Amino acid sequence: MVEVTAALVVITMLMLMGLHFGKRYVQEQRELAFMHQVQTEWRAVQSRAQLQARPGKMQWLEDEHRVKFMLNEGSGNNLYALPLPATLHVHNFVIEQPAGSKMYSKPRTVHVRSSLGDDYILKFEMGWGQLFIQRGSVRVE
């Protein structure tokens, strides 16, 4: 009886550890998928800003827990709103993509906190606002 109880305790502990690490893995994958979607939508805003000769922007809204991508001026300027994963936290900020002859965005670095540990660094560099995302010391591709 003692052996069966010990075996059940070991199995239960292994299951609980697997559940914890499995949940964490799923949350990490949601964060990575979100960051890839941010890169994709930022590129879409840049392309539309260039094609339509209208400035575009990405706006992070902490209170609404989402990111909005839009073109300025005119009706229907919201292109897409992307909800933030529950594990990510960021202060409000706006990245703007100019239009017309000034197609270069200002370089900027934004830090996004993750409750899972490694924070993200979003670098908007010169060369038309190229976005690079880094998690900890590893670049997200």
Side-chain angles (χ1 to χ4, degrees), residues 45 49-50 52-57 70-73 96-100:
V45 165
Q50 184 179 28
Q52 297 180 16
R54 292 170 42 194
K57 67 181 173 181
M70 61 192 84
L71 292 178
N72 295 342
E73 304 167 5
E96 295 190 9
Q97 177 62 57

Side-chain angles (χ1 to χ4, degrees), residues 30-91:
R30 284 185 183 149
E31 285 183 2
L32 289 172
F34 170 79
M35 290 299 170
H36 286 291
Q37 188 69 27
V38 165
Q39 281 182 317
T40 301
E41 294 301 327
W42 177 243
R43 288 184 193 126
V45 165
Q46 288 178 313
S47 297
R48 289 184 179 168
Q50 184 179 28
L51 288 172
Q52 297 180 16
R54 292 170 42 194
K57 67 181 173 181
M58 174 186 350
Q59 185 173 13
W60 293 64
L61 305 166
E62 185 177 28
D63 53 337
E64 297 179 23
H65 212 67
R66 65 185 177 134
V67 180
K68 285 176 26 177
F69 300 88
M70 61 192 84
L71 292 178
N72 295 342
E73 304 167 5
S75 62
N77 60 358
N78 285 347
L79 298 175
Y80 193 70
L82 184 62
L84 274 126
T87 56
L88 293 179
H89 306 282
V90 65
H91 294 292

Side-chain angles (χ1 to χ4, degrees), residues 7-138:
L8 286 174
V9 167
V10 169
I11 290 171
T12 303
M13 296 300 275
L14 289 173
M15 287 177 57
L16 289 174
M17 285 176 36
L19 183 63
H20 170 73
F21 289 115
K23 183 178 177 182
R24 183 179 175 90
Y25 176 79
V26 168
Q27 291 172 331
E28 287 175 356
Q29 294 306 308
R30 284 185 183 149
E31 285 183 2
L32 289 172
F34 170 79
M35 290 299 170
H36 286 291
Q37 188 69 27
V38 165
Q39 281 182 317
T40 301
E41 294 301 327
W42 177 243
R43 288 184 193 126
V45 165
Q46 288 178 313
S47 297
R48 289 184 179 168
Q50 184 179 28
L51 288 172
Q52 297 180 16
R54 292 170 42 194
K57 67 181 173 181
M58 174 186 350
Q59 185 173 13
W60 293 64
L61 305 166
E62 185 177 28
D63 53 337
E64 297 179 23
H65 212 67
R66 65 185 177 134
V67 180
K68 285 176 26 177
F69 300 88
M70 61 192 84
L71 292 178
N72 295 342
E73 304 167 5
S75 62
N77 60 358
N78 285 347
L79 298 175
Y80 193 70
L82 184 62
L84 274 126
T87 56
L88 293 179
H89 306 282
V90 65
H91 294 292
N92 296 341
F93 72 87
V94 176
I95 302 291
E96 295 190 9
Q97 177 62 57
S101 61
K102 294 182 72 178
M103 292 302 289
Y104 293 97
S105 348
K106 294 178 183 174
R108 185 155 182 204
T109 300
V110 177
H111 296 272
V112 179
R113 294 184 325 267
S114 172
S115 59
L116 298 178
D118 286 336
D119 292 345
Y120 293 86
I121 299 172
L122 284 70
K123 294 181 180 181
F124 296 85
E125 297 183 354
M126 292 301 287
W128 212 62
Q130 192 71 16
L131 170 60
F132 298 103
I133 299 177
Q134 185 175 322
R135 180 179 179 202
S137 60
V138 179

